[in-house]
Amino acid sequence: MSATDGLPNGTDRTLDELPEFDLSYLLDDGDHPSSVTVYSPDALETAWLTAGCEDAVSLSDVR
């Protein structure tokens, strides 16, 4: 499934710019982290995503 699936008819299906997200992250241990938690520092509600470091990848490796 793509991010443009289900757009209304006549909507441009190409993105001129990549979306931007204002997110922060925390590591459970700075020297030998086993998990990383990503969250929005400006969100009024509590929401976060935690992943094991073995499953996390650098943003420079994301396509």
Side-chain angles (χ1 to χ4, degrees):
M1 177 176 215
S2 114
T4 58
D5 286 349
L7 290 176
N9 289 338
T11 302
D12 185 3
R13 296 183 66 85
T14 61
L15 296 175
D16 293 330
E17 297 179 17
L18 294 175
E20 293 184 19
F21 303 95
D22 182 25
L23 299 174
S24 294
Y25 70 93
L26 293 171
L27 301 172
D28 63 334
D29 180 331
D31 294 328
H32 302 288
S34 63
S35 68
V36 58
T37 299
V38 179
Y39 65 96
S40 173
D42 299 325
L44 297 176
E45 69 280 351
T46 302
W48 64 88
L49 173 71
T50 300
C53 285
E54 66 277 0
D55 298 318
V57 295
S58 170
L59 287 178
S60 63
D61 295 335
V62 176
R63 295 181 199 187

